[in-house]
Amino acid sequence: MTALPQLQPAAAASLAKWHAMVAANGLSELRSIVHPDVTFRSPVAYSAYKGADALVLALTAAATVFQDFTYHRQAATAGGLNAVLEFGAKAGGKEVKGIDFIRLGEDGKIIEFEVMIRPLSGLQALAKEMGKRVGAVLPDYKESR
């Protein structure tokens, strides 16, 4: 059996900081590990959102929506600049399972963050709660296609 790839040191440091923020339920340091031109892909929007402001806004809001948020598994891809984090939580009273796909640069800054969530009922509950918090603001950060 082959060993799982490891993250590069700068990427591992940023991911460790991410995990510490999530564990402390406070994302005040998030911007320090995010590239200014980061791309964020939401599980409820077709087009991506662009920029650190969009990612910080979305993830900070999501942190207020999720209850009992826990990461279960983590994997890295060859090259050590991509992490896949599996999580479970509740959103709007519904159970959700999800995956965060995080791509980091050589400097350890997050350059892409994509979230996938199931089941549909949980995703709908998340979308409703996120809409209440950032629905009027987040669309301003949509990437033009």
Side-chain angles (χ1 to χ4, degrees):
M1 181 180 288
T2 325
L4 289 174
Q6 298 297 313
L7 289 171
Q8 290 188 11
S14 289
L15 201 57
K17 192 169 188 176
W18 166 252
H19 281 298
M21 285 185 281
V22 170
N25 200 23
L27 301 182
S28 62
E29 299 289 319
L30 178 57
R31 194 173 295 278
S32 70
I33 61 169
V34 174
H35 188 279
D37 296 323
V38 65
T39 299
F40 172 62
R41 290 187 174 80
S42 164
V44 298
Y46 176 74
S47 298
Y49 298 97
K50 232 11 196 175
D53 289 344
L55 181 67
V56 170
L57 177 66
L59 295 183
T60 301
T64 69
V65 171
F66 285 128
Q67 301 106 36
D68 303 327
F69 186 95
T70 306
Y71 280 117
H72 302 292
R73 289 186 282 182
Q74 176 176 310
T77 60
L81 294 174
N82 295 279
V84 180
L85 311 176
E86 178 193 11
F87 65 86
K90 290 181 185 165
K94 301 284 185 179
E95 296 281 338
V96 297
K97 291 284 286 180
I99 297 176
D100 291 335
F101 295 97
I102 303 172
R103 187 164 59 102
L104 303 110
E106 296 279 339
D107 61 357
K109 300 282 187 181
I110 297 171
I111 55 177
E112 190 172 349
F113 198 109
E114 181 172 1
V115 182
M116 295 185 156
I117 292 182
R118 61 170 289 279
L120 180 58
S121 61
L123 178 59
Q124 289 168 329
L126 174 63
K128 180 179 176 183
E129 293 301 318
M130 288 293 289
K132 291 177 189 176
R133 289 162 175 79
V134 296
V137 180
L138 196 56
D140 294 343
Y141 297 98
K142 282 261 181 155
E143 186 175 70
S144 56
R145 289 229 162 225

